[in-house]
């Protein structure tokens, strides 16, 4: 098993609560509208979007892979953190079982003024 860390940080003028709500909690309704040429649909196929839920992202014909499935492991709305794993789809190839995204965390202190 290998571990690769790839931290990413950027400053924005929007509150962490609003970004988290939009990009994480409401992503299943917004992503197909935000990226209509890439994402055909984004559906929750199990659960309500909280821990244990499974989402299916389907891409348009011609994309490098037809779909991916993610399992949500942790959603912490107070600390704006989510932990999830890519569990199915051609993106995994034939060598990987899953890809775990340890966390996406938004911090109020990261705001630029």
């Amino acid at each position: 098993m290998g571990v690769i860390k790839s931290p990413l940080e950027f400053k924005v003028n929007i509150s962490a609560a609003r970004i988290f709500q939009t990009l994480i909690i409401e992503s299943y309704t917004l992503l197909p509208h935000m990226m209509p040429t890439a994402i055909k649909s984004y559906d929750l196929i199990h659960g309500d979007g909280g821990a244990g839920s499974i989402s299916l992202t389907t891409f348009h014909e011609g994309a490098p892979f037809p779909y991916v499935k993610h399992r949500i492991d942790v959603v912490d709305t107070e600390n704006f953190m989510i932990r999830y794993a890519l569990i199915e789809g051609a993106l995994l190839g034939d060598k990987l079982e899953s890809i775990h995204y340890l966390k996406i965390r938004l911090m109020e202190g990261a705001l630029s003024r």
Side-chain angles (χ1 to χ4, degrees):
M1 174 192 293
V3 175
I4 298 172
K5 281 188 169 187
S6 183
L8 176 65
E9 185 176 316
F10 54 93
K11 295 180 181 185
V12 295
N13 289 323
I14 302 170
S15 73
R18 185 162 180 184
I19 291 175
F20 190 80
Q21 181 67 31
T22 302
L23 296 181
I24 305 301
I25 305 301
E26 297 173 2
S27 61
Y28 65 94
T29 58
L30 295 175
L31 280 176
H33 299 289
M34 291 170 58
M35 303 170 60
T37 59
I39 297 176
K40 184 175 183 179
S41 65
Y42 182 79
D43 301 297
L44 286 171
I45 58 174
H46 176 77
D48 61 359
S53 295
I54 297 176
S55 66
L56 170 67
T57 305
T58 307
F59 300 97
H60 286 288
E61 230 176 275
F65 32 87
Y67 73 94
V68 292
K69 280 187 186 175
H70 288 96
R71 181 190 65 240
I72 300 170
D73 297 322
V74 176
V75 177
D76 181 347
T77 55
E78 289 182 17
N79 294 303
F80 313 119
M81 191 271 291
I82 186 168
R83 184 171 51 209
Y84 61 102
L86 173 64
I87 58 170
E88 190 177 313
L91 185 59
L92 290 172
D94 59 356
K95 304 256 188 260
L96 301 174
E97 219 174 84
S98 64
I99 297 174
H100 291 265
Y101 301 91
L102 295 179
K103 63 182 161 181
I104 295 173
R105 186 175 67 184
L106 303 169
M107 299 166 39
E108 290 288 347
L111 293 178
S112 161
R113 301 267 176 209

